[in-house]
Amino acid sequence: MDTLVAQLQRQFRDYTISLYHQLFWYVKGFLDDQFTELKKLQDECSPDFVAEVVSLFFEDCEKLIGNMARALDQTGNVDFSLVGSSVHQLKGSSSSVGAKRVKGLCVTFKECCDSQNFEGCVRCLQQVDIEYKSLKAKLQDLFNLEQQIVQAGGRIPQVDI
Amino acid sequence: MATKSMGDIEKIKKKLNVLIVDDDPLNLIIHEKIIKAIGGISQTANNGEEAVLIHRDGGSSFDLILMDKEMPERDGVSTTKKLREMEVKSMIVGVTSLADNEEERRAFMEAGLNHCLAKPLTKDKIIPLINQLMDA
């Protein structure tokens, strides 16, 4: 059982580090320091705080991406300020949870909105959709690992990034 | 605030009372948690108009108001001006996006803020302002 806990804890450490650090110079990490700040706020009174916050974030993503898709679907009559407003909100949310790649994409997306670049906006929307879903899957894996560690009788290790 | 010990939040004898004004539910949850983590209690308002009503109806008194800038109904600039007209003496800290330019930040400060912080908020950003309140 101890060996299992140690293995899971090692896996958890490696996985957490991989979410923050870029593997190659052109690949950004998924998370930044703000995620670490959220983890620091989690305590015994609110053991699921981070999971609850990211869950809200992903709900936000779905809603805002839906809004953007509908706005961009108005062929020939796209309200770029409406799209830009949703992008601004998504940038704020992603910044609040430390979703580094999503936030970065929102910067480019906002520039496309401001210059009324339709093709650019469509491309950015596709990328944002892919990125938030990818982050959602990775964080789910991370939370599953945490659960496995606790169920095996171990403690979640502190990971210094 | 009873203590003058710099950076020692645990010595707060009176609970820090904070009003968090933000239309983003995600920010409200995070900011509430930050305030709780540093030993305070908080109330929330979903927009500036609610913040004004809280002060008008309840005669509420807060040590600190965290004021988001972009909100529906009444934005942060207008809310801050209104609260100062109502002679609200609380420390009001504006919370701005990095996308806001210098002119926008200056207008927010001139509305009556004591300080302005950039999102995302963290404990480390808030604690120096709490110390100021404690030393006042």
Side-chain angles (χ1 to χ4, degrees), chain A residues 34 41 43 46 53 56 96, chain B residues 24 26-27 29-30 33 120 122:
Chain A
Q34 182 60 15
L41 291 173
D43 55 23
S46 51
V53 166
L56 265 179
S96 294
Chain B
D24 186 344
L26 195 59
N27 281 337
I29 288 178
I30 295 172
K33 195 77 173 101
T122 61

Side-chain angles (χ1 to χ4, degrees), chain A residues 7-25:
Chain A
Q7 271 176 15
L8 287 169
Q9 286 173 333
R10 217 167 20 248
Q11 212 178 328
F12 177 83
R13 263 193 209 98
D14 292 344
Y15 196 66
T16 301
I17 290 169
S18 76
L19 290 177
Y20 281 84
H21 289 310
Q22 59 194 41
L23 301 173
F24 305 101
W25 65 270

Side-chain angles (χ1 to χ4, degrees), chain B residues 16-22 31 35 43-45 47-48 51-52 54-55 60-68 71 76 79-80 83-84 87-95 108 112-117 121 126 129-130 133:
Chain B
L16 178 72
N17 191 10
V18 182
L19 176 65
I20 303 167
V21 189
D22 203 311
H31 297 168
I35 297 304
Q43 193 174 335
T44 60
N47 56 61
V52 170
I54 283 169
H55 282 84
S60 299
S61 172
F62 300 95
D63 300 300
L64 172 65
I65 300 174
L66 294 176
M67 183 76 70
D68 185 28
M71 292 180 288
T79 308
T80 304
L83 291 179
R84 290 307 188 204
E87 299 191 353
V88 168
K89 300 281 187 267
S90 314
M91 176 185 273
I92 304 180
V93 174
V95 183
F108 201 4
L113 296 181
N114 296 94
H115 295 284
C116 213
L117 293 175
L121 282 189
I126 298 273
L129 300 180
I130 306 300
L133 271 175

